Amino acid sequence: MKNIKSITLVLLAIISSAVSFSSWALNVTASVNKTKVSKDEVIQLKIVADQKLDGNKVDFSSLSKDFYLGRPNFSSSVNILNGTRTDSSIWTVAIAPQRIGKLTIPSFDVNGVATSPITLNVTIDEQTPTTKDMVEVRTQLSKSELYPKESALLDTRIIVKVDPRLLQNPNLTSPQATGLDIEAMGEPKQYQAVLDGMEVMIIDQSYRVTAIESGNFAIKAPTLTGGVLYGNNRSGTTKILTLDTSSPTVDLKVDPIPEGYNGSWLPTSKLSLSQTWKLDDGKNVASKSVSIASGDSLTRTITLTAAGLTSAQLPNISVSNPEAFRVYSEKPSFKSNDDGSITMITKQVLIAQHGGNFTLPAVKINWWDSVNKKPAQTELEGLNVSVTANEMINAVSPVSSPTSSLPGTTTIVKDSGSWPYIAGLFAALWVLSSAMWYRTSKANQNHLSDNSPMSSINNASIKENLIAAIKNRDPIATQTAYRSWKGTNSLSEEDDVLLRNEITKMNSAIIGSDKDVIWDDKTALKLIEKAKAKESKAGAALAQL
């Protein structure tokens, strides 16, 4: 009997242990709310474990190949009922099949326990809107035929016909094409509008398309990608509709450079040139000829506008003027116009050195007319200049015979190096100071004896003009003001050289090509005050004699 009782106790212990072990094992299940769905329809995938686990125990990344995934949600709970404790961990995620047919939700490993795979039957819903129903793309190309290095404007408009709040991860793609350089012009413009009685969102974006090589090309227009949250009121279902990447294409033909073409290649549908001539006093020269005195200056401003080109493609205009003039040039400035054309403005200041009759050269630009498919030339007339001789300037600045001069020439330079600012500035300022010294020599002779109140007021005004021009960093105004101020002051040769050097540095820093030149107005302003103080002391000394 004792043996039978011992065996019974052992069996009861084994059974009790087995039951306890079974209660400790982890149970995990995976389920969906429906297995027959339509493409893009949203359903819920749920994974439940009967233990309290961490939220990172389930990885849903394996679903991204065939399903659109929402944001996973995790929760855990503990329930105690009649002394019995129950733990649970639940993962839920919204998924939407991206293709039709039989799709399988794979098995998930949860803390070493695998769930069973789930098979879905996915069909197409004919009432589901397509991408064309929700997004429309319109394009317009300014020119359908180009030449290498010529460009056209591609205007695109994306019309979104659904509530923008329903868009999921929207992304604006870029136009694509091989053999072309496509660059966005500014940022896209996004706004609400009413189109055919429907409230829509519009995205406008312009691109510059530049031809690189000849051939026939197709530009794939930009479009909107991502998803759209769509609810079917009839069936009560919700879908995430995937926007496909298909978009219209724009055809472009690029003609080859004509055989036998010589010279710089400048293809454009339209090119215009204009110019103005200004005298020292700011007045425009209205005729084909003008008379000035040696030491006077002429300012020539040339404006070039071309369509279908970038600023880097516009030519540098280098004018070879007669040797009787000293010239310095400002760096060209550029402006983009609303029609896609580019305007370049160049300016030259020419200072006459001696008397004589001269012809400032015409400007000619050769280009290729891409509309009429033939070479073209645009020309600006030159200017006949009669310079009155100045004996004092001729004495201090020997030059070649003033009685004759050969006309200058114009060279169109492509991809030239730095403009020769510094040399021109030194020469221009030297000639300018010589001329001004002569013009004001008589005034200087009487200056020390002129102690009238009106003279003091005029001198102060001239000095203020010079200081203002320097502080405004205006090279041309500074030179003019310095000329007037110097005529009312007895500057020493040393002060004159130092001030003219400061003006040269200012020109180099502001309009020169040497980026290493650093200039501020402190030294120049100190020199002006120093020269004024010397003059006051000299006047006081003379008054005591």
Side-chain angles (χ1 to χ4, degrees):
M1 290 295 292
K2 291 183 179 180
N3 291 335
I4 294 174
K5 289 182 178 181
S6 299
I7 294 172
T8 301
L9 291 174
V10 171
L11 290 175
L12 289 174
I14 293 174
I15 293 172
S16 177
S17 299
V19 172
S20 298
F21 178 79
S22 175
S23 64
W24 294 339
L26 175 64
N27 294 315
V28 182
T29 60
S31 63
V32 293
N33 58 327
K34 58 191 306 186
T35 57
K36 292 183 178 180
V37 297
S38 60
K39 180 179 177 292
D40 299 318
E41 182 180 352
V42 178
I43 60 175
Q44 296 293 324
L45 170 63
K46 179 188 292 186
I47 297 177
V48 179
D50 62 355
Q51 290 184 15
K52 189 174 182 180
L53 303 173
D54 293 333
N56 58 7
K57 292 296 183 179
V58 178
D59 182 9
F60 292 104
S61 60
S62 60
L63 294 172
S64 60
K65 179 180 178 181
D66 296 323
F67 297 88
Y68 184 91
L69 293 178
R71 185 186 297 275
N73 182 53
F74 171 75
S75 65
S76 62
S77 63
V78 177
N79 294 321
I80 300 176
L81 183 61
N82 298 327
T84 302
R85 175 187 174 117
T86 303
D87 296 327
S88 65
S89 299
I90 302 174
W91 293 262
T92 58
V93 62
I95 62 174
Q98 295 182 354
R99 58 186 178 88
I100 61 175
K102 289 187 179 295
L103 296 184
T104 299
I105 297 176
S107 174
F108 295 95
D109 184 286
V110 183
N111 209 31
V113 178
T115 65
S116 299
I118 302 172
T119 301
L120 301 180
N121 292 318
V122 184
T123 59
I124 190 71
D125 186 352
E126 295 181 354
Q127 294 183 347
T128 300
T130 63
T131 297
K132 292 182 179 180
D133 298 325
M134 297 181 289
V135 176
E136 180 183 352
V137 180
R138 298 179 182 179
T139 62
Q140 182 176 358
L141 190 63
S142 61
K143 287 190 67 178
S144 59
E145 188 173 357
L146 299 176
Y147 283 90
K149 294 188 178 181
E150 189 180 9
S151 61
L153 290 183
L154 173 64
D155 294 322
T156 64
R157 170 167 290 181
I158 299 175
I159 304 171
V160 182
K161 301 179 181 180
V162 297
D163 189 336
R165 293 172 295 182
L166 301 178
L167 295 175
Q168 306 290 308
N169 302 321
N171 180 55
L172 181 64
T173 65
S174 299
Q176 299 176 3
T178 57
L180 301 171
D181 182 27
I182 303 177
E183 179 183 2
M185 300 180 64
E187 296 296 325
K189 299 177 181 179
Q190 179 177 315
Y191 54 95
Q192 299 292 123
V194 176
L195 184 64
D196 297 331
M198 177 186 296
E199 187 175 359
V200 298
M201 181 180 72
I202 294 179
I203 304 173
D204 289 336
Q205 177 69 70
S206 295
Y207 301 87
R208 181 179 293 277
V209 180
T210 303
I212 299 176
E213 55 189 22
S214 60
N216 294 315
F217 303 93
I219 305 172
K220 184 179 180 181
T223 188
L224 194 68
T225 62
V228 177
L229 196 62
Y230 171 74
N232 190 323
N233 294 329
R234 183 178 61 84
S235 63
T237 59
T238 300
K239 299 181 179 182
I240 297 181
L241 307 180
T242 303
L243 298 175
D244 60 42
T245 58
S246 62
S247 60
T249 58
V250 183
D251 294 329
L252 177 64
K253 179 182 179 182
V254 181
D255 297 322
I257 298 176
E259 294 184 4
Y261 181 86
N262 295 319
S264 299
W265 178 245
L266 194 65
T268 175
S269 59
K270 181 176 65 176
L271 186 145
S272 63
L273 274 176
S274 63
Q275 69 178 350
T276 60
W277 298 89
K278 285 185 179 294
L279 298 172
D280 269 345
D281 56 8
K283 293 182 179 179
N284 288 329
V285 177
S287 61
K288 297 182 180 180
S289 60
V290 67
S291 296
I292 61 175
S294 55
D296 286 350
S297 65
L298 281 169
T299 300
R300 186 180 197 178
T301 303
I302 299 175
T303 302
L304 183 154
T305 300
L309 296 174
T310 64
S311 58
Q313 293 172 299
L314 295 182
N316 292 331
I317 302 175
S318 177
V319 182
S320 179
N321 294 285
E323 294 182 357
F325 292 85
R326 294 300 185 196
V327 183
Y328 73 87
S329 304
E330 294 186 6
K331 289 187 292 187
S333 62
F334 300 91
K335 182 182 71 172
S336 297
N337 305 311
D338 294 337
D339 61 356
S341 63
I342 295 292
T343 296
M344 178 180 72
I345 299 176
T346 59
K347 184 180 293 186
Q348 287 187 333
V349 178
L350 301 92
I351 303 174
Q353 296 184 87
H354 59 80
N357 295 319
F358 309 97
T359 299
L360 299 180
V363 172
K364 298 179 181 179
I365 293 183
N366 296 318
W367 52 285
W368 180 262
D369 186 342
S370 60
V371 175
N372 299 306
K373 299 184 178 182
K374 64 179 183 179
Q377 184 183 79
T378 301
E379 180 177 354
L380 292 175
E381 293 183 342
L383 182 68
N384 296 319
V385 182
S386 177
V387 182
T388 303
N390 190 320
E391 295 180 0
M392 183 58 66
I393 291 182
N394 289 340
V396 299
S397 178
V399 293
S400 57
S401 174
T403 58
S404 64
S405 176
L406 295 176
T409 59
T410 302
T411 303
I412 306 301
V413 181
K414 295 295 291 182
D415 300 325
S416 64
S418 300
W419 290 57
Y421 300 104
I422 307 304
L425 286 171
F426 273 106
L429 291 171
W430 180 77
V431 173
L432 187 62
S433 62
S434 299
M436 295 309 103
W437 172 77
Y438 170 75
R439 286 185 171 187
T440 58
S441 59
K442 292 183 179 180
N444 289 338
Q445 292 173 2
N446 299 325
H447 174 67
L448 293 177
S449 61
D450 186 1
N451 296 316
S452 66
M454 185 59 67
S455 174
S456 300
I457 294 174
N458 291 339
N459 292 349
S461 177
I462 293 172
K463 175 185 174 184
E464 290 174 359
N465 290 340
L466 175 59
I467 292 175
I470 292 175
K471 290 183 176 180
N472 291 335
R473 300 173 66 87
D474 188 333
I476 296 178
T478 298
Q479 294 179 45
T480 303
Y482 178 69
R483 176 179 64 190
S484 300
W485 179 76
K486 181 182 175 183
T488 60
N489 290 273
S490 299
L491 289 181
S492 67
E493 182 178 353
E494 178 185 0
D495 289 341
D496 184 30
V497 170
L498 291 174
L499 274 167
R500 286 192 287 120
N501 285 342
E502 283 300 312
I503 295 175
T504 300
K505 289 180 182 178
M506 178 176 68
N507 281 273
S508 301
I510 296 173
I511 64 175
S513 59
D514 189 353
K515 301 301 182 183
D516 295 330
V517 176
I518 300 175
W519 176 85
D520 61 49
D521 57 16
K522 294 181 180 178
T523 302
L525 295 177
K526 287 181 180 179
L527 288 171
I528 292 173
E529 293 300 330
K530 175 184 174 184
K532 186 66 177 178
K534 284 184 177 180
E535 180 200 5
S536 299
K537 291 180 180 179
L542 287 174
Q544 295 175 358
L545 295 178

